Every structure is written in structure tokens, then in C-alpha cells.
Amino acid sequence: MQAKVHGSSGSLELTDSLFGAKFNEPLVHQVVAAYLAAGRSGTKAQKRRSDVRGGGIKPWRQKGTGRARAGTSRSPIWVGGGRAFAAAPRNFSQKVNRKMYRGALRSILSELLRQQRILFAEQLALDAPKTKELVGKLRELGFAGGLLVVEAFDEKIWLAARNLPHVSVAEAGSVDPVSLVAAEQIVLTAAAAKVLEERIK
């Protein structure tokens, strides 16, 4: 599969297994949901009646007072009592095996390419960490906003892009499905495409 390299007269050879896969919407949804769920801390906690301090003695005798029966002052219906259905720390992570994760990435990248939301560049190098210089290069590519996927961490690109509100930078070796799905457009360098092909075989 051939893809046009923006800013150059050449083309880039892409593997059909990575950029020519069918779109598997249920798989993509499951992997994206699992990725977002794994980011939840799950540390919310409240005290049950057994966790609240005090309430060990019966407030008053069972009969003869004219009041309702009460066995503890830490009942959920009392002020200062425990919570009836208290939240407890929990783990929200979902199991997604490696084959499913890679399959979802292949499906996402293939669909983005079909929608013409991936722009391939020969390279994305800056002489200095200047936002103005990066904006000029992105304008030449026809990039309005989204995700820049580079081969490896580049401090100049990272510093130049952090001041742009609708531009983020990711390494090809660690790019995640949520970032790909959320990006309006993606700039993918030739070297980053090779890294992705090695990562998602």
C-alpha cells in the first residue's frame, strides 16, 4: 500500500496488515473503554456503621421510654452514623489481552487512513524549540489540530507544541488507542510508521 508523503514528491510503503484492516467497532469500543477504566483511581471510600467510632452502648433501654427502639447511635438513620450503602475502594480495570489491543490499534489506524485523517511526513525536525517554526511546518502539511506521532521523544518538538492548545505529541512506541480516536488529524512521520509496524505485528 502506497501513501503520499506531504511536503515531498515521494511516497511511503505501508503494510496492509497495519493500515488495511477492517474496522472492528465492538473491539475498538471494548479496548477504548478498558483503557479509560484503567485510568480510574477507584479510591472513593465511605464509612459503614462498623467503621464509625463510638456507638458501642445501647442509647436507652428497649422498653418504657416511649421512643423507638435503638441499638446503636451509629445507625445509618442517625446523625453521625455510618453510611447504609457505603462506597468502597475498587479496581475498575478490565482484562484486555495483547492480541485484542493490537487488533484494536490496527483497526483504528486503518479507519483513520480511510477517512484521510492521517498525514504522512518525511520528518518533523526543528532547528530550535520555537512554536512559530512548528506552526509553519504544520501549516505546510495542512494540519489543523490533533496528534503528532514521532519516532522517539524530541525535546524541541515537545517544547514547541506544548503552547498549542489543540496539538499533542506522542511517541510511536507508546501511543494509545484513546489518543488516536480522539485526534481530529494525525501527523505520522515515516520513521514513526516503521516503529508502529514493528510494534503491532
Side-chain angles (χ1 to χ4, degrees):
M1 178 186 296
Q2 296 288 333
K4 181 181 182 302
V5 178
H6 292 262
S8 172
S9 58
S11 60
L12 183 64
E13 182 68 29
L14 303 175
T15 58
D16 292 336
S17 60
L18 180 58
F19 291 96
K22 292 182 179 179
F23 184 61
N24 189 340
E25 185 176 357
L27 176 62
V28 171
H29 178 272
Q30 182 178 354
V31 170
V32 168
Y35 189 91
L36 292 174
R40 299 180 65 177
S41 61
T43 54
K44 179 180 179 182
Q46 297 163 332
K47 291 184 178 181
R48 299 176 176 85
R49 57 185 293 176
S50 61
D51 300 323
V52 181
R53 185 180 179 185
I57 190 172
K58 187 174 174 64
W60 50 75
R61 66 179 188 268
Q62 183 81 350
K63 292 178 177 295
T65 64
R67 290 176 289 188
R69 295 173 292 186
T72 174
S73 61
R74 297 299 178 260
S75 168
I77 64 174
W78 280 50
V79 174
R83 188 71 179 264
F85 301 101
R90 56 177 291 192
N91 182 11
F92 289 95
S93 63
Q94 304 173 19
K95 176 176 172 54
V96 174
N97 58 39
R98 189 179 304 172
K99 186 176 181 180
M100 292 170 60
Y101 190 85
R102 292 178 176 178
L105 286 178
R106 279 193 292 266
S107 186
I108 292 170
L109 289 170
S110 301
E111 185 63 19
L112 289 172
L113 185 62
R114 281 190 287 269
Q115 294 178 4
Q116 299 181 352
R117 289 165 58 187
I118 297 182
L119 306 174
F120 293 96
E122 187 65 34
Q123 61 178 355
L124 199 63
L126 301 178
D127 297 328
K130 298 292 185 180
T131 302
K132 185 176 181 180
E133 184 179 349
L134 179 61
V135 169
K137 287 183 175 292
L138 296 179
R139 188 179 291 117
E140 292 175 1
L141 295 172
F143 179 77
L147 181 67
L148 308 179
V149 182
V150 294
E151 178 186 10
F153 176 75
D154 189 325
E155 186 177 11
K156 293 179 181 179
I157 294 177
W158 183 79
L159 290 173
R162 67 178 180 173
N163 199 34
L164 298 174
H166 303 296
V167 176
S168 56
V169 182
E171 299 175 42
S174 60
V175 66
D176 58 87
V178 175
S179 299
L180 293 174
V181 169
E184 185 66 28
Q185 284 182 305
I186 296 173
V187 171
L188 191 63
T189 63
K194 297 299 180 184
V195 173
L196 281 173
E197 290 176 358
E198 289 295 324
R199 175 189 171 190
I200 312 169
K201 288 185 177 179

